[in-house]
Amino acid sequence: FIPYAIALIFLAAYRIVSSLRTRRDAVWKVAGVHGETGDTNTLVLERSDGAGAFGRRRAGQFAIIRFREGRKWSEPHPFTISAAPRSSELHFTIKAAGKFTSSVPSLARGTEVMCEGPYGIFSINFEKQKKVVMIAGGVGVTPFLSLIRHAIDITADTQMILFCCNKIFGDIIAGEELK
């Protein structure tokens, strides 16, 4: 019993210290919110201390974000990072589908946002592939936007084909950029 208790104490202490360090390093600020479609916006975040852990992110990864609500943080919500990994900013392209996501357009510049991550493995070394086919629907295009933006940034020699489906033409996210 004693070895288990000691292990549990060390795990709890590690979790508490890790959580405090992560929270201190994870606070970003709203740099702006840009409309994409009628119900989709891109939230742009910046951090004066550099990108921290997000400086090592890969295309297509996601983060868990929370907005500052007075003295508390909102409930956590996961979103794909739609910016290329080399970008010093974080971009989250978010469709309004509930209270949290509908509040994105009203976020004021400078609002604190906690970003935990990056998480996930969307594509392993896509840059080394000669051809990549991507299939998305609606706001599900966001990880592919990150891949495409990254491929352009690094001038990857990869032929990329994107099939994207939307209900109407006006729902195409980053339509002009994709042209």
Side-chain angles (χ1 to χ4, degrees), residues 15 22-23 25-28 43 45 53-54 57 60-68 73-82 90-92 94 100 112-120:
R15 177 74 172 130
T22 298
R23 288 180 184 241
D25 295 340
V27 177
W28 291 65
L43 172 64
L45 303 179
F54 288 95
R57 72 184 182 273
Q61 287 190 298
F62 72 95
I64 296 173
I65 67 173
R66 303 167 188 250
F67 301 148
R68 174 71 79 181
W73 292 102
S74 67
E75 291 294 316
H77 294 269
F79 296 100
T80 301
I81 303 164
S82 54
L90 293 180
H91 293 200
F92 298 96
I94 301 169
F100 184 85
E112 290 185 338
V113 178
M114 183 182 301
C115 295
E116 298 173 32
Y119 298 116

Side-chain angles (χ1 to χ4, degrees), residues 3 17 41 49 58 91 99 121 160 173:
V17 169
N41 296 282
D49 296 342
R58 296 186 50 91
H91 293 200
K99 182 181 174 187
I121 300 172
M160 303 179 91
I173 296 169

